[in-house]
Amino acid sequence: MIAELSGHTVLVFVGIPLLVVAVLALLVFASSIASGPRYRPGLSWWAPPVWINGPTATKPDPANLPELPAAPGTLATAGAGVARSTGGASASW
C-alpha cells in the first residue's frame, strides 16, 4: 500500500533534519568565518612582526663588563685584564 505524503510528513522527515544540519554547519564554520583570513603557505605575510622576549633596545658595552674572578689556584694569563668582545656563552662571535 502506497501512502500519500502530506505536507506535515515532508516537513517532519525532511525539513527538520535539513534545519538541524544547517544549524550544525553554521556552528562549526562560525568561528572560522568570524576570525577572518589566515596565513596560507606560499603567500606573503601581511602582519607586522612581533618578537616575544626578543633582544633589548640597548646592548651593554662589552668593554665595561666586570671581569669574572679567577678560580682559586690558577695563574693569571696575559689576556686576563683585557675585556672580551666576542665569543663565549653569549654567542656574539
Side-chain angles (χ1 to χ4, degrees):
M1 172 186 253
I2 299 175
E4 289 185 31
L5 295 177
S6 68
H8 294 291
T9 306
V10 172
L11 180 65
V12 169
F13 290 109
V14 176
I16 292 175
L18 284 177
L19 181 66
V20 169
V21 168
V23 168
L24 288 176
L26 181 66
L27 290 175
V28 167
F29 294 113
S31 64
S32 64
I33 293 169
S35 66
R38 63 186 185 123
Y39 173 72
R40 301 284 183 188
L43 298 178
S44 63
W45 182 253
W46 60 87
V50 177
W51 283 20
I52 299 173
N53 205 12
T56 58
T58 58
K59 286 188 168 184
D61 184 18
N64 294 333
L65 293 176
E67 286 291 323
L68 294 174
T74 61
L75 297 173
T77 60
V82 179
R84 293 187 282 300
S85 62
T86 60
S90 65
S92 61
W93 51 83

